Amino acid sequence: MDPLQDRLPDDALAHPLPGTRPCAPGDWLRRDEAFAAQMDLRDRLIAQQRDAVIAMRPEGQAAAQELLALVAAEVPDHRVPPDPTDPLGSLGRIAQEDFAIMLPGQGEHWLGAAVICFPSRWQLSQKIGRPLTRIHAPVPDYDAPIAARVQRLFDGVRADAPLVRWNRLPYWEPVLHNPKPEEEPRAPNGPRPYMRAERQVILRLPQTRAVVFSIHTYLVRA
């Protein structure tokens, strides 16, 4: 069993879903009671399954380095020295969040780089290099109006005003690293004795102007 949190934070329960709103200053990155154990898991995933949890197109290199500098400045102490030559590996080992770096494209942002240690039934290899609508193709409710709203968020977010949103769903197994190909059913039948919540922050990098989508995953017994 993967290391779980003891409880969901208060705002995971009180926050309307998805409830996109301004992120409070200083509340972008979080550490919770599962930090040490989950970071050990992230270390192992990056060391042993790097190609499954890290991906980058050449266009994403500069943004990944900018993001590492930003995160390193915000994290109070570094478990490992940040390495600008391996920005995604460093990000995955100093912060509890996963990070997806979205680059502007032909009317739509696309995934240029990411470190995703805790996916829920999707594979990074099937998402890297793809635009937002293609990334969300397996999601039945991700229709044209929702896609347009999401794109407006990515177009409009300011470097000095990140946004935060949540999702929350009953979950069937105590597994944080849960990659599955798109072709598999999105959710198995049966009991769901756990609750998974994702705190998602949308942030614009001031120099490269890329948009970062960070994900802090909580998984608890329901």
Side-chain angles (χ1 to χ4, degrees), residues 53-195:
V53 299
I54 289 176
M56 180 161 60
R57 294 288 187 261
E59 299 93 327
Q61 178 75 32
Q65 291 172 330
E66 183 183 4
L67 176 58
L68 175 60
L70 184 62
V71 170
E74 294 220 7
V75 171
D77 57 327
H78 302 147
R79 299 173 64 255
V80 297
D83 181 1
T85 67
D86 182 21
L88 296 177
S90 296
L91 284 163
R93 298 184 64 201
I94 66 175
Q96 204 170 348
E97 283 78 10
D98 285 326
F99 298 96
I101 297 174
M102 308 299 298
L103 305 177
Q106 297 294 324
E108 194 173 16
H109 279 71
W110 61 281
L111 183 59
V115 50
I116 307 290
C117 291
F118 299 157
S120 178
R121 299 187 65 81
W122 58 275
Q123 292 180 327
L124 181 56
S125 62
Q126 292 185 309
K127 309 297 184 181
I128 190 69
R130 303 295 183 89
L132 278 166
T133 51
R134 176 59 186 83
I135 288 172
H136 291 93
V139 181
D141 295 335
Y142 198 85
D143 56 14
I146 290 178
R149 288 200 296 271
V150 171
Q151 186 56 52
R152 285 196 294 271
L153 283 177
F154 279 67
D155 288 339
V157 65
R158 304 198 316 269
D160 60 347
L163 303 171
V164 61
R165 67 195 300 276
W166 283 87
N167 69 20
R168 187 174 67 245
L169 71 156
Y171 216 65
W172 45 90
E173 55 190 335
V175 178
L176 289 161
H177 177 69
N178 192 13
K180 301 291 182 183
E182 290 182 355
E183 297 77 22
E184 287 197 15
R186 291 196 57 80
N189 296 323
R192 300 190 179 191
Y194 300 91
M195 182 67 69

